[in-house]
Amino acid sequence: MRFSQKQRRVPVINIISLIDILCILLIFFIVTTVFKKDETMFDMTVPPAGTATNVAQGQIPPTTLYLTKEGKMYLGAEPVEPSRLADMLKARIARDPKFKLALKADEDAPFKMILKINDAASQVGLANIPTYAAEKK
């Protein structure tokens, strides 16, 4: 007895639907990526601290005041003269009443500049300025 053999179909992979899925995944990963926050263009060595905390999720992060070891100040990326710091902080608070300030100082920064920053902040009503520190290793 002779059995007839069926013609075998060549398997076909529908590549169009695979490309659609790939595009959707690519869009998902692009949208959900957390990009690194721009920092100013100078090198700082921040001292470690055991009690440093991060900004709580959902809160607006404070504007960072950078202090280099040469004693130069930057409010965000904008250079600041020490004599004009209080005026700049007043202007920022006038624009945004919820304005917050944080200090990120180099470990070799002059202490008198830190005192000037605290004085200027207390003049405009900003108290308890949080300080960024390197994570303890």
Side-chain angles (χ1 to χ4, degrees):
M1 182 179 241
R2 186 160 201 190
F3 293 105
S4 65
Q5 286 188 327
K6 292 183 183 178
Q7 283 284 335
R8 292 191 119 207
R9 284 184 29 198
V10 177
V12 177
I13 298 175
N14 189 356
I15 197 143
I16 303 293
S17 60
L18 293 177
I19 291 173
D20 289 344
I21 292 170
L22 180 67
C23 289
I24 290 171
L25 284 173
L26 181 65
I27 291 169
F28 173 77
F29 288 125
I30 289 172
V31 170
T32 59
T33 299
V34 177
F35 294 101
K36 184 178 178 185
K37 183 180 174 187
D38 290 336
E39 298 230 354
T40 54
M41 302 302 291
F42 50 86
D43 188 31
M44 293 182 68
T45 305
V46 181
T51 59
T53 58
N54 291 333
V55 176
Q57 203 169 11
Q59 284 186 342
I60 299 171
T63 301
T64 305
L65 179 67
Y66 298 95
L67 179 61
T68 64
K69 61 183 166 188
E70 294 85 23
K72 295 180 182 178
M73 286 190 276
Y74 297 88
L75 188 59
E78 183 180 350
V80 177
E81 289 296 320
S83 59
R84 295 193 11 88
L85 179 61
D87 296 332
M88 290 184 80
L89 292 175
K90 247 184 234 180
R92 294 275 178 115
I93 291 172
R95 277 188 289 185
D96 181 14
K98 294 182 181 181
F99 176 77
K100 294 179 185 175
L101 182 69
L103 176 64
K104 190 171 192 177
D106 192 277
E107 65 183 357
D108 296 326
F111 187 67
K112 69 178 184 177
M113 296 304 291
I114 295 173
L115 290 176
K116 285 183 181 182
I117 291 169
N118 282 330
D119 286 342
S122 63
Q123 284 177 8
V124 297
L126 293 174
N128 300 328
I129 301 172
T131 304
Y132 289 120
E135 291 180 11
K136 207 171 195 178
K137 293 181 182 176

